[in-house]
Amino acid sequence: RQEWGGPGAETGCVDVLLNSLAGEAMERSLGLLRPFGRFLELGKRDFAEDRRVALRPLRHNATFFAVDVDELPRARPQLAARLLAGIRDRIEAGSFRPLPHADHAAGNVQAAFRTLQASAQIGKLVLRPPPPRPDRAMRAPLQQAARGTVLVVGGVQGFGLATACWLATQGVRHLALLSRRGAATPGAAEAVARLAALGATATLHACDATDATALDASLQAIRAQMPALRGVVHAGAVFADGAAARLEARQVAAVLAAKLTVAENLDTLTAKDPLALFLLYSSATVAVGNPGQAAYVAANAALEALARRRRGAGQPALAVQWGPIADAGVLAADGATAEALHRRLGARPMAAATALAALPDLLGGAAAVLGLARLDWAAAQLMLPLLAEPMFNAVRGHAVQPAADLRARLVAAPDDEALPLLRETLAAELGRILRLAPGAVAADTPLAGLGLDSLGGMELRAALDQRLGLAASIGTLTDTLTVDALAHRLLADLRRQRQDGAAEALMAAHEPAPEPASVAAA
């Protein structure tokens, strides 16, 4: 494109102009057309705003084409397929040259999207991924453990098996998988075959690790059959969920034994082995608690104390406070529990591969206990006021408490006070997103008319979620959705949530709690 106002701009200097600008910029581009020129309009903003455009630039037989690329595959899929095939062929033949583009480093992603939002670029914006980090997967603990055998307690199924597979990808070639049923565990043969495909030899051992004598016998068999034991992973668990006051002593004992007793036995019985890795699986609920899992939280807290004790004695140990794992372990087949965790704690499940990929960095640190979880702090604080305590400042930043204060003010205030506060909040966020002064955002202005596109709408939703602890239903940015209309909608959502919360509290006060679940091994 030629710069506006440059030589030849008045008479036109462009035969074909592909435009995605809006407003005055689009009209200035029209003025660049030569007689019989073609103007292809890709943007949608002027159409959505029903904007009037002066037609004088088209008087010399110029043609204006309104192009909606999204519509073509829907209306004429065969034509779209043929055109895409032609583009592909020309790219492969080298007939099409790359479009103008501007590179942005991955760390500069916010500036890149701001540029895109403001239509301030020519051509495309390209985000370059960060350069690959040096391979830190083989940090010292893993590197040394890979020289011998790694024992994985609870390694035949679930997250324990996912860990064993991950260890195989990191170079561990000898794995001992220990569980109560050993080879009789459903899927045991498939687990061994899966590890073999990854280049690791795995042996199966049936043992109740809470029994020190039985565990000692299994460890002796492992030492006799395999290379020196250099790593231990304790991924086992037993669950007995229920209200703390209703739990029986035997249930609590079973949960504690599966975590703490097993860890104590491993600590004692491997004292003479050249261990480089002593990895214990704890839970993120230790930091914030979890209603209905008092015994499980206490067991993991004890596990972490053991890790600190070992570190204090100069021995290797790391307890990882995992958040929910989506595709391995107890949550993989229990979507209801995963949903309950998100509702109660703001916890979002993560894939096992994503979680395990962080282990090299965790193992390379000096801490005995580290946590890895995806928590929506604003949502979590609605159920866990504990998160407002100063001890959580380092992990939650400074967003949670102001959000709680603002939400509390809005819930408690009458409508004639809450609505102005919501309008002020919306104006401030829109001003930040659109780089406008808050005073420039009028309450009766349609959001689409302010220039808020779908990307800006997503940013506004995220900001309101953070500030109000409310998943704002912004929907389509129509000509009728104004700041005032959105403020009314948000206030209605807040009022409805308050009523739902009051109803749930009333039900909880008058309905008996369900009986605790029976003890079940993970």
Side-chain angles (χ1 to χ4, degrees):
R1 291 179 185 170
Q2 181 165 329
E3 293 293 332
W4 296 324
E10 294 183 359
T11 59
C13 58
V14 177
D15 292 309
V16 179
L17 199 151
L18 189 66
N19 179 72
S20 58
L21 303 177
E24 182 185 358
M26 185 272 286
E27 291 195 63
R28 299 288 293 273
S29 295
L30 271 175
L32 298 176
L33 284 178
R34 283 177 176 166
F36 301 94
R38 301 290 188 267
F39 187 91
L40 283 72
E41 174 58 61
L42 298 182
K44 298 182 181 181
R45 178 172 164 184
D46 288 323
F47 296 117
E49 295 179 359
D50 197 19
R51 189 174 179 276
R52 295 184 179 182
V53 179
L55 298 179
R56 184 176 180 84
L58 302 179
R59 68 189 186 279
H60 294 303
N61 293 303
T63 306
F64 185 105
F65 293 92
V67 179
D68 186 345
V69 178
D70 297 339
E71 185 65 24
L72 182 61
R74 289 193 295 267
R76 300 184 180 180
Q78 294 181 346
L79 175 59
R82 188 167 67 252
L83 292 174
L84 286 173
I87 294 172
R88 179 201 61 209
D89 294 341
R90 287 170 172 80
I91 291 175
E92 291 178 349
S95 302
F96 286 166
R97 292 178 297 174
L99 294 172
H101 65 278
D103 286 354
H104 287 266
N108 202 26
V109 62
Q110 183 175 6
F113 276 101
R114 291 292 186 197
T115 302
L116 177 65
Q117 187 179 39
S119 300
Q121 85 281 4
I122 294 176
K124 300 296 182 182
L125 294 173
V126 177
L127 287 174
R128 295 292 183 189
R133 296 184 301 173
D135 185 8
R136 294 186 289 177
M138 296 300 289
R139 287 186 186 273
L142 279 177
Q143 188 175 25
Q144 295 178 33
R147 294 166 52 195
T149 300
V150 176
L151 168 69
V152 183
V153 178
V156 184
Q157 292 180 321
F159 195 37
L161 175 58
T163 303
C165 292
W166 178 82
L167 287 168
T169 66
Q170 305 306 305
V172 176
R173 292 293 168 257
H174 301 279
L175 289 158
L177 309 182
L178 188 146
S179 65
R180 291 188 177 184
R181 290 180 287 177
T185 305
E190 291 80 359
V192 172
R194 182 177 170 187
L195 289 165
L198 294 172
T201 299
T203 58
L204 299 171
H205 304 268
C207 174
D208 180 358
T210 63
D211 183 340
T213 301
L215 180 58
D216 186 32
S218 293
L219 289 172
Q220 290 183 30
I222 292 170
R223 296 184 187 105
Q225 300 170 13
M226 306 180 76
L229 188 63
R230 293 185 177 274
V232 169
V233 179
H234 177 16
V238 164
F239 297 91
D241 295 349
R246 293 174 175 268
L247 285 177
E248 298 178 3
R250 62 176 182 83
Q251 293 176 303
V252 176
V255 176
L256 286 170
K259 286 286 185 179
L260 181 58
T261 303
V262 172
E264 290 279 13
N265 289 342
L266 290 169
D267 175 49
T268 301
L269 297 175
T270 62
K272 296 183 180 180
D273 290 296
L275 296 184
L277 177 70
F278 196 91
L279 182 59
L280 307 172
Y281 280 4
S282 180
S283 169
T285 57
V286 173
V288 297
N290 186 18
Q293 285 196 319
Y296 183 67
V297 172
N300 282 301
L303 202 69
E304 295 172 11
L306 185 144
R308 293 188 178 96
R309 187 183 74 192
R310 283 184 60 94
R311 277 296 182 100
Q315 298 172 302
L318 174 65
V320 181
Q321 298 174 331
W322 295 114
I325 305 298
D327 54 350
V330 293
L331 293 186
D334 192 353
T337 300
E339 176 59 29
L341 283 172
H342 179 250
R343 185 173 63 253
R344 293 176 183 174
L345 307 178
R348 301 184 183 277
M350 53 186 166
T354 301
L356 293 168
L359 265 182
D361 289 324
L362 301 182
L363 289 168
V369 179
L370 290 170
L372 183 67
R374 289 176 174 170
L375 296 179
D376 181 345
W377 291 99
Q381 190 173 336
L382 298 179
M383 295 295 293
L384 296 171
L386 174 69
L387 296 182
E389 295 296 325
M391 64 182 290
F392 290 100
N393 285 344
V395 288
R396 73 161 187 261
H398 302 287
V400 173
Q401 185 61 41
D405 289 346
L406 178 59
R407 181 187 176 91
R409 288 175 59 193
L410 289 169
V411 170
D415 289 3
D416 58 352
E417 294 180 13
L419 281 171
L421 184 55
L422 275 170
R423 294 190 194 103
E424 178 184 341
T425 301
L426 286 169
E429 291 299 335
L430 287 166
R432 179 184 61 81
I433 294 169
L434 300 174
R435 305 293 178 90
L436 299 172
V441 181
D444 58 351
T445 303
L447 300 188
L450 291 170
L452 187 73
D453 55 13
S454 57
L455 180 63
M458 291 177 60
E459 189 171 353
L460 178 61
R461 178 189 172 97
L464 294 175
D465 191 7
Q466 183 180 39
R467 296 196 64 179
L468 303 179
L470 183 68
S473 177
I474 296 177
T476 306
L477 298 174
T478 64
D479 293 338
T480 59
L481 183 60
T482 63
V483 172
D484 185 64
L486 183 54
H488 278 83
R489 184 184 300 178
L490 293 173
L491 183 59
D493 289 344
L494 284 169
R495 296 287 188 256
R496 183 166 56 253
Q497 285 193 2
R498 181 177 65 178
Q499 293 173 355
D500 292 345
E504 289 179 1
L506 188 62
M507 291 172 61
H510 293 280
E511 291 187 3
E515 290 297 324
S518 59
V519 178

